[in-house]
């Protein structure tokens, strides 16, 4: 059966095509509008779950968005002054009594004492006082007075001829050190050179300069008034395992190795160790022990320090000031 032909309406698009095109374009516009509305709503109002109605347009218009911050509030800093341990009654009492270990204990121990001194927070502690265990003597820190001598002397139980004496408490500490070394099986330790007066150091220093020249002599011996030996706190020692050796051989002995590892337990440090000449100004001397007392020697060991200058935060002293 043939259907009658519909009359054409000029040269335009077929009605069905027009309808399909209109529907397609309308759906696309509607979809774009919906997506745009969702994006705009998410940016302004945040995500909304299913079933949540849009807010009242009038209420939304009344919401004021916060203005962007243009500056931050000023930060107010307040300096806090660290407490002065020298003001503590216990410290003042210990200083008055003259006991060095008591003073260090009043500070809270060797580590606390070191920290207070190194940071300049211990004005009552004078590192130039030659009567104290903590005195520091080097090429830029001469003794004061220059001819200082200790008030007490003692002789350790074991010493070689001509060794001299040391401060009395140092002599007792040397006896304990020697007994400890002997008990450890490395042999006894003897004093080879102890206290040297200012006049004695004049002779010692002059002899080194005459033999080795000025530069090498200064690396081997201290000028008068700059020697730790003058304080009575320094001891050059030798090993006496099967007979006493020389100071030059001490570093290569079992006793020398034992002292380097354990001397701190008896209040001693090896004052001049290898690699520290740019700080101390002296060649390595494994035989040169310096008594600082057990509390400070413990802090020195535990902190891994190699020189008293580093320990107390002092400048290096590789050469004399003049």
């Amino acid at each position: 059966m043939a259907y009658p032909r519909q009359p054409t309406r000029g040269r335009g698009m077929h009605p069905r095509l027009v309808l399909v095109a209109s529907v397609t374009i309308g759906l696309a516009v509607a979809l774009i509008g919906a997506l745009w509305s969702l994006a705009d709503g998410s940016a302004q109002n945040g995500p909304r779950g299913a079933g949540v109605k849009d807010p009242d347009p009038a209420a939304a218009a009344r919401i004021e968005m916060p203005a962007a911050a243009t500056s931050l509030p000023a930060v107010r800093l307040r300096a806090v002054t660290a407490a002065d341990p020298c003001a503590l009654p216990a410290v003042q009492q210990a200083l008055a009594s003259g006991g060095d270990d008591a003073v260090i204990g009043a500070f809270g121990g060797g580590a606390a004492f070191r920290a207070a001194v190194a940071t300049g927070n211990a004005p009552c502690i004078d590192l130039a006082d030659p009567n104290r265990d903590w005195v520091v003597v080097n090429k830029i820190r001469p003794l004061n007075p220059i001819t200082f001598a200790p008030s007490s002397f003692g002789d350790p139980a074991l010493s070689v001829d001509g060794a001299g004496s040391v401060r009395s408490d140092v002599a007792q500490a040397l006896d304990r050190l020697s007994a400890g070394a002997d008990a450890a099986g490395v042999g006894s330790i003897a004093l080879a050179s102890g206290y040297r007066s200012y006049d004695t150091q004049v002779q010692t220093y002059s002899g080194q300069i005459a033999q080795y020249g000025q530069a090498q002599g200064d690396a081997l011996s201290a000028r008068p008034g700059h020697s730790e030996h003058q304080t009575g706190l320094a001891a050059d020692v030798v090993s006496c395992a099967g007979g006493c050796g020389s100071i030059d051989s001490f570093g290569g002995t079992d006793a020398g190795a034992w002292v380097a590892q354990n001397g701190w337990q008896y209040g001693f440090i090896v004052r001049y160790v290898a690699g520290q000449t740019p700080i101390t100004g002296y060649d390595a001397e494994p035989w040169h022990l310096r008594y600082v007392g057990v509390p400070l020697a413990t802090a020195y060991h535990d902190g891994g320090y190699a020189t008293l200058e580093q320990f107390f935060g002092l400048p290096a002293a590789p050469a004399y000031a003049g």
Side-chain angles (χ1 to χ4, degrees), residues 79-93:
V80 178
T81 303
D84 178 11
C86 291
L88 297 174
V91 171
Q92 295 176 355
Q93 182 178 357

Side-chain angles (χ1 to χ4, degrees), residues 39-68:
D40 186 57
S42 298
Q44 293 185 18
N45 303 317
R48 293 190 299 272
V52 179
K53 297 181 179 180
D54 289 338
D56 180 11
R62 292 194 297 271
I63 298 177
E64 296 182 1
M65 298 297 290

Side-chain angles (χ1 to χ4, degrees), residues 13-301:
M13 185 179 295
H14 193 281
R16 291 181 180 177
L17 297 178
V18 172
L19 177 60
V20 171
S22 299
V23 171
T24 302
I25 294 174
L27 289 174
V29 172
L31 179 60
I32 293 174
L35 292 175
W36 182 266
S37 180
L38 287 173
D40 186 57
S42 298
Q44 293 185 18
N45 303 317
R48 293 190 299 272
V52 179
K53 297 181 179 180
D54 289 338
D56 180 11
R62 292 194 297 271
I63 298 177
E64 296 182 1
M65 298 297 290
T70 58
S71 63
L72 295 175
V75 178
R76 301 182 64 182
L77 300 178
R78 181 169 61 90
V80 178
T81 303
D84 178 11
C86 291
L88 297 174
V91 171
Q92 295 176 355
Q93 182 178 357
L95 284 170
S97 69
D100 293 353
D101 286 358
V103 173
I104 296 169
F107 268 79
F113 179 89
R114 184 216 68 83
V117 173
T119 57
N121 197 33
C124 58
I125 301 302
D126 183 7
L127 295 179
D129 186 346
N131 295 291
R132 296 291 190 176
D133 292 348
W134 51 76
V135 64
V136 180
V137 183
N138 57 32
K139 292 184 176 182
I140 61 175
R141 295 177 63 89
L143 283 163
N144 184 23
I146 199 73
T147 57
F148 170 82
S151 59
S152 67
F153 291 96
D155 297 323
L158 190 59
S159 62
V160 301
D161 291 340
S165 302
V166 287
R167 214 172 68 178
S168 58
D169 55 338
V170 179
Q172 297 170 16
L174 278 173
D175 287 343
R176 293 190 292 271
L177 177 74
S178 180
D182 198 30
V186 298
S188 301
I189 294 172
L191 176 67
S193 181
Y195 168 73
R196 299 177 199 154
S197 67
Y198 179 90
D199 293 337
T200 299
Q201 193 64 25
V202 170
Q203 299 174 9
T204 302
Y205 176 75
S206 298
Q208 296 282 28
I209 298 300
Q211 183 175 356
Y212 299 104
Q214 188 69 51
Q216 185 61 22
D218 278 341
L220 295 173
S221 181
R223 292 181 183 179
H226 293 261
S227 173
E228 286 193 328
H229 283 281
Q230 193 175 329
T231 66
L233 295 168
D236 292 344
V237 298
V238 295
S239 172
C240 293
C244 295
S246 66
I247 60 173
D248 293 329
S249 65
F250 183 74
T253 65
D254 291 340
W258 183 88
V259 166
Q261 293 294 322
N262 300 282
W264 61 274
Q265 300 180 62
Y266 304 87
F268 292 97
I269 64 171
V270 178
R271 180 66 170 97
Y272 307 120
V273 299
Q276 300 302 319
T277 302
I279 294 178
T280 65
Y282 295 105
D283 292 343
E285 295 185 0
W287 60 84
H288 182 108
L289 307 185
R290 163 63 198 276
Y291 185 77
V292 295
V294 173
L296 288 184
T298 301
Y300 190 93
H301 169 267

